Every structure is written in C-alpha cells, then in structure tokens.
Amino acid sequence: MRRRLRGVIGATATTIAVLVIGVVVSYQPAGAGPQHGSHPGAVDQQQARAIADQVGVQGVSEFRVACSSSHRAGNDPIVFPGQTGVSHVHEFFGNRSTNASSTTTSLKAATTNCNPVADLSAYWVPTLYKNGQPVAPESVTVYYQGIHDMAQAKAPPQGLRYVVGNSKAVSPAENPSARWSCTTQSPSSPDFMNCPSGTKLETYLDFPTCWDGRNLDSANHRDHVVFWAGSCPGTHPVVLPRLELLITYPVNGGGLSLGGTVNGVNTTTAPGFTFHGDFMNAWDANELQRRMTNCINPGRKCGTDGNPA
C-alpha cells in the first residue's frame, strides 16, 4: 500500500480561514454560462473549523479506488444538469460516460476506468492548466476512510451526490477545502505551490462524513451532508466513510491555473484556492457493502480488491 505524505496547512492559515468565513484525454471547451449561482459558496464558521480539523487526520480503516482521467468537458451534471457546455471545464475520473445529463441509471449502464470496475461512480474536479495548456493528472486515488464511529458507518446510498469546496472563492480564506502540496514536502497551501524540480504537484480533497439519512441531494448540493465536528449532529445522524481524493499532476514550478468562473464567465485562469470536487455515487451496492463490512466497520485497511492488506 502506497505510503502518503499528507500536507498540513499551517495553524495561522487555518485560523485566518475560520475567522474570515465566519493519460491523454479529449477536450471540449466550455461555453460562457449565463449564471453560476447554483455552485455552493463559502461554508459557515463551524464547518470551516471542522474542515480544518480534518487536515492531517489519517483514516483508521480504508479501502481504495485507483482511477485516471476519462475525459474533459464544460459539463457539471450536479450543478447544471442537462446543460451541455455551460459549466467551466472539469476533469472527469472513473465513469467514462459522465456528461451534463448523467443520472445514476446512466452511470450504472456505462463503464469505468477505475479499479475496481464495481465502482461506476463519477468524480470530477476543475481542470488544471499550466501556461494555458490543460494537464491531465498522473494518478488519482480515491480513499474511502473510517475516521470516526467506524462500527456505525453506513455505505453511501446509490445516487448520493454532493459538491465540496468553493469555486466562487475570491481569497484562500473562503475555501478551507483547497489544499495543494508537493510530492516530497509539507506543509501544504490553499493556493498553488511552486513545486521544486524533482517533485510533482498534488492535491488532497476531503468530503464530509455525516448525512441527513433522507436526501440524495439538496438545493446547494451540500446541505444534506456535513463535516464531522466531534460527532454527527442530530440533523445529520448517518455516519459515512470519508471520501478523499489524492490527485498527482506531472508538473512543477509556476504558471498554474484552474478552469473556473470569473464574473459569471467561464475561464481557464482561476486560482488554486477555487479548487472543488463533485461525486455521484454509482457503486455496485453489494460490492460497496462488502468493503464496508470487510474494511471500514472492523477498522481494517484494504486495497482496491476490498480485502484486508
């Protein structure tokens, strides 16, 4: 099992955030969307602190999924369902069919480039650019981790979807989820790091672990799930494994930007602190439950096969 160095954002940066918030792939350019209000904005102060408190927390139990980029397009089936080309450019991992009109049914009928193939889920993040040219990740590892109340954790239901991060952030403090680092050094930063020669750029993105137990989505694609803050609140009592993306890019140095939105217009020049990620669950239910039973609930670490290492 690969050993990982998790970058930790410094205490000063974390405090500021809490105070202020209170593979070659095909390319489809994005259009300029008329509005981007459906993207979730900054989290509240309590959630900002909960996100910051998770930085550096290792999973006690876990299983993994290894994916690669499948395609790149200006689509977002969660935020802009059915509206092809309206979103800024995203990098899609896993399910090869993901487009603006994707549903749980369509994802389950398609194929994936993930290992295991039982995971037909769609994962996506804004496309990275270096000097104006899109860069596909070198590797994408999706970790499903038990970090609290593991024995009570439940498998995410098919169709669950949510968005993490703040694509509309205008400063690093407005997006505590953004976390960039270099492959051989720590700490990390909410904005791009100028990684030295011999290293590669990487990012971690942590997803919430408390679900309301009823809704597969919500109006802002976030309120039905929250980050654990000492416990799961009564409003969100169902414990989920933490989904964590570890993405490594074959670049270092400067000249970096993201697909994003500025003043309602899609661009490829967004800063690193606008990083965000989306998830639509289309796992084979039996295989996902087997991994919960074998790995998450009993506190074991497993590989991509869902068996204890």
Side-chain angles (χ1 to χ4, degrees), residues 1-308:
M1 186 172 294
R2 177 183 172 187
R3 183 176 179 181
R4 298 170 292 144
L5 291 174
R6 296 173 53 97
V8 178
I9 299 175
T12 300
T14 299
T15 301
I16 290 173
V18 171
L19 290 174
V20 172
I21 290 174
V23 200
V24 179
V25 294
S26 60
Y27 174 67
Q28 174 188 326
Q35 56 80 31
H36 290 264
S38 297
H39 282 280
V43 295
D44 62 26
Q45 187 177 70
Q46 182 187 51
Q47 283 292 281
R49 190 178 300 278
I51 293 169
D53 287 346
Q54 281 198 31
V55 174
V57 173
Q58 298 281 354
V60 178
S61 58
E62 69 181 28
F63 60 90
R64 292 176 290 142
V65 180
C67 304
S68 59
S69 294
S70 60
H71 57 288
R72 182 182 300 135
N75 296 327
D76 190 326
I78 293 179
V79 177
F80 298 112
Q83 301 179 65
T84 300
V86 169
S87 172
H88 51 254
V89 182
H90 286 108
E91 203 81 16
F92 292 88
F93 317 127
N95 198 295
R96 294 184 175 95
S97 73
T98 312
N99 58 40
S101 300
S102 290
T103 63
T104 306
T105 299
S106 70
L107 294 176
K108 289 170 61 180
T111 61
T112 182
N113 62 21
C114 288
N115 177 18
V117 296
D119 183 10
L120 291 169
S121 301
Y123 309 90
W124 64 97
V125 299
T127 293
L128 177 75
Y129 291 82
K130 183 174 175 67
N131 298 325
Q133 297 300 309
V135 179
E138 180 177 87
S139 65
V140 179
T141 305
V142 185
Y143 293 89
Y144 287 78
Q145 301 172 321
I147 63 170
H148 64 91
D149 299 334
M150 292 172 295
Q152 286 74 45
K154 304 298 183 184
Q158 276 195 352
L160 183 67
R161 58 186 65 191
Y162 42 86
V163 180
V164 169
N166 182 6
S167 65
K168 298 185 287 188
V170 297
S171 71
E174 290 189 348
N175 188 10
S177 289
R179 183 154 48 109
W180 299 93
S181 58
C182 305
T183 51
T184 60
Q185 69 181 44
S186 185
S188 62
S189 168
D191 206 349
F192 292 122
M193 299 187 73
N194 192 325
C195 294
S197 177
T199 71
K200 297 174 184 178
L201 180 74
E202 68 178 7
T203 182
Y204 287 91
L205 187 65
D206 292 337
F207 287 69
T209 58
C210 301
W211 175 45
D212 67 12
R214 302 182 307 277
N215 298 296
L216 299 179
D217 200 355
S218 51
N220 66 357
H221 316 298
R222 186 171 64 202
D223 286 348
H224 57 304
V225 286
V226 297
F227 285 86
W228 176 75
S231 64
C232 282
T235 55
H236 296 74
V238 180
V239 180
L240 301 176
R242 180 178 68 182
L243 192 162
E244 180 181 73
L245 298 182
L246 170 57
I247 306 174
T248 303
Y249 296 90
V251 296
N252 50 42
L256 302 173
S257 63
L258 293 172
T261 308
V262 177
N263 296 325
V265 177
N266 292 316
T267 74
T268 59
T269 58
F273 56 73
T274 64
F275 193 71
H276 55 284
D278 301 55
F279 167 62
M280 292 178 66
N281 181 30
W283 268 90
D284 176 270
N286 291 333
E287 278 298 309
L288 181 57
Q289 182 56 55
R290 185 176 70 83
R291 285 162 169 79
M292 295 297 298
T293 302
N294 283 358
C295 313
I296 300 299
N297 297 140
R300 300 176 181 141
K301 292 197 174 184
C302 300
T304 56
D305 61 359
N307 295 319

